[in-house]
């Protein structure tokens, strides 16, 4: 049996967790040895919305192990790993998989330490049984790692596969359980959360035009002209990670390996150098018009067209010309 640690949100299972389930199901389907035909189970700590159970069944999960009790209501890496460990020990799962989210990686790292096995993070492929290919150095390098321990423990990088329903959907059975909790496991837990802003990454991913802005914007107040250009072209604003890390713009606007992957007809990156992690999210844009002061920036050399200049002069000039032509 393959056990997948699944993260949930109000509407059901998280999309990256469904990707991990799809990855696990694919292993059981492809392998002709140890993994062949293995059932897929899920383990959930905290909230388990009814929609998540239904989605998991659709994606081929036959059983959901749900850790219940006060200790599991709020996220804690150690205490949730304890729940995954209890589920693994009681089921004898030969592999434990999660999505490579911050929580997925943290829970699996705790789990691997508890079980005395190795863990591979951010896996993008696997030749069964368990020769995994994983991203390292921020995705710039791929390495292969043979996992001989059982259970094999690894997380699946976001977007490594597309989540998809099983050919033969099932109705998942839920087993509630209350594993023992050590006081030490409760030392670090989430005590409060604040709602973030609205997530508009969906419209970014489907936009036909994306205007991008990076460090060249110069600060949180440097996005007026690029936002206006996005509006004039009926497109969306996308930004680099520097911009979200500095708190200039919200994370749902980030393009790249750890943000949204976009494939618009036209991408206009302004003041973005084109680091490999950013390129990972925009490489399938049909046409790229880079605006950058540096003629040697990677984004300039990869772009279809480039304007070498200051985005604070070039972008307002484009906006003015569009407005003039539209009368
Ligand atoms: C694990 C990991 C994951 C990552 N994920 C992502 C990701 O998802 N998305 C992402 O974007 N990055 C990601 N990064 C970060 C990435 O490596 C780069 O640091 C980041 O993309 C750089 O952002 P930038 O291009 O805005 O800034 P910089 O690299 O500092 O480039 C700024 C550019 O702006 C130009 N410029 C400056 N002023 C102006 C001006 N006035 N007008 C025009 N041009 C100007 C400069 O010539 C330069 O080319 C990740 C890194 C790691 C390690």
């Amino acid at each position: 049996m393959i056990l997948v640690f699944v993260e949930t949100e109000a509407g059901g299972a998280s999309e990256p967790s469904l990707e991990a389930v799809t990855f696990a199901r694919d292993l059981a389907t492809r392998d002709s040895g140890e993994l062949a035909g293995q059932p897929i189970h899920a383990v959930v700590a905290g909230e388990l919305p009814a929609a998540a159970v239904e989605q998991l069944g659709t994606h081929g999960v036959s059983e959901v192990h749900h850790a219940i009790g006060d200790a599991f209501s709020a996220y804690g890496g150690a205490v949730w790993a304890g729940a995954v460990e209890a589920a693994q020990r009681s089921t004898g799962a030969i592999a434990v998989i999660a999505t490579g989210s911050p929580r997925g990686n943290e829970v699996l790292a705790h789990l691997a330490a508890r079980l005395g096995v190795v863990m591979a993070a951010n896996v993008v492929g696997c030749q069964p049984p368990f020769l995994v290919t994983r991203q390292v150095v921020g995705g710039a390098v791929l390495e292969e790692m043979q996992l001989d321990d059982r259970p094999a423990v690894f997380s699946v990088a976001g977007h490594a596969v597309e989540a998809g329903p099983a050919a033969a959907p099932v109705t998942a059975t839920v087993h509630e359980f209350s594993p023992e909790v050590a006081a030490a496991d409760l030392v670090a837990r989430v005590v409060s959360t604040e709602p973030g802003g609205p997530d508009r990454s969906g419209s970014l991913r489907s936009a036909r035009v994306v205007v991008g802005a990076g460090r060249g914007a110069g600060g949180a107040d440097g996005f007026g002209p690029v936002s206006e250009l996005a509006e004039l072209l009926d497109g969306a604003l996308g930004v680099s990670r520097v911009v979200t890390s500095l708190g200039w713009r919200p994370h749902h606007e980030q393009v790249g390996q750890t943000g949204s992957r976009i494939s618009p007809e036209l991408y206009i990156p302004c003041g973005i150098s084109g680091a490999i992690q950013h390129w990972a999210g925009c490489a399938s844009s049909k046409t790229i018009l880079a605006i950058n002061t540096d003629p040697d920036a990677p984004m300039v050399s990869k772009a279809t067209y480039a304007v070498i200049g200051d985005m604070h002069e070039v972008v307002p000039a484009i906006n003015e010309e569009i407005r003039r032509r539209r009368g």
Side-chain angles (χ1 to χ4, degrees):
M1 189 272 283
I2 303 176
L3 184 65
V4 183
F5 165 62
V6 168
E7 295 173 52
T8 61
E9 48 201 25
S14 78
E15 186 68 14
S17 288
L18 293 176
E19 290 174 7
V21 168
T22 305
F23 193 99
R25 204 182 65 226
D26 181 54
L27 281 179
T29 314
R30 263 192 304 130
D31 190 30
S32 53
E34 187 185 2
L35 292 171
Q38 288 285 344
I40 312 298
H41 289 197
V43 54
V44 174
E47 292 295 312
L48 177 59
V53 178
E54 195 176 317
Q55 281 173 314
L56 290 169
T58 307
H59 285 74
V61 171
S62 56
E63 298 188 29
V64 180
H65 305 269
H66 183 205
I68 56 167
D70 288 348
F72 302 99
S73 57
Y75 174 70
V79 71
W80 280 25
V84 180
E85 180 189 5
Q88 189 280 328
R89 288 192 189 280
S90 68
T91 58
I94 53 177
V96 184
I97 302 177
T99 177
S101 65
R103 287 187 178 184
N105 279 331
E106 185 178 22
V107 166
L108 289 197
H110 275 283
L111 175 73
R114 284 165 176 260
L115 296 175
V117 299
V118 300
M119 174 217 167
N122 300 321
V123 165
V124 293
C126 177
Q127 268 175 264
F130 309 123
L131 173 63
V132 297
T133 306
R134 68 187 197 116
Q135 296 175 334
V136 290
V137 200
V141 175
L142 293 178
E143 75 174 16
E144 289 191 338
M145 199 170 158
Q146 177 67 48
L147 303 180
D148 288 330
D149 289 333
R150 297 293 177 270
V153 174
F154 64 90
S155 67
V156 179
H159 306 294
V161 293
E162 204 173 315
V170 291
T171 301
T173 311
V174 178
H175 305 284
E176 292 185 339
F177 69 117
S178 302
E180 275 184 30
V181 177
D185 288 344
L186 295 171
V187 171
R189 297 177 75 210
V190 171
V191 290
S192 69
T193 53
E194 282 177 32
D199 182 350
R200 298 198 187 88
S201 55
S203 55
L204 174 61
R205 283 193 294 267
S206 59
R208 290 184 63 247
V209 177
V210 174
V211 179
R215 196 196 296 274
D221 55 0
F223 293 82
V226 279
S227 299
E228 188 187 4
L229 178 57
E231 225 168 275
L232 286 169
L233 298 176
D234 200 17
L237 180 68
V239 302
S240 72
R241 174 150 132 174
V242 163
V243 167
T244 57
S245 300
L246 290 171
W248 294 350
R249 301 292 303 181
H251 182 266
H252 65 79
E253 291 180 356
Q254 185 178 314
V255 170
Q257 180 192 321
T258 46
S260 293
R261 297 195 179 208
I262 58 169
S263 48
E265 295 294 323
L266 175 63
Y267 181 40
I268 311 178
C270 308
I272 294 181
S273 61
I276 188 159
Q277 298 87 358
H278 187 85
W279 185 249
C282 67
S284 47
S285 305
K286 308 287 177 303
T287 302
I288 298 180
L289 166 62
I291 299 175
N292 201 302
T293 46
D294 178 4
D296 297 322
M299 185 60 91
V300 172
S301 39
K302 288 172 178 157
T304 329
Y305 307 100
V307 177
I308 306 304
D310 185 340
M311 62 182 278
H312 300 291
E313 292 170 12
V314 176
V315 177
I318 295 173
N319 294 348
E320 199 182 317
E321 183 62 16
I322 293 173
R323 281 196 304 269
R324 189 185 67 77
R325 288 190 186 210
R326 287 181 182 170

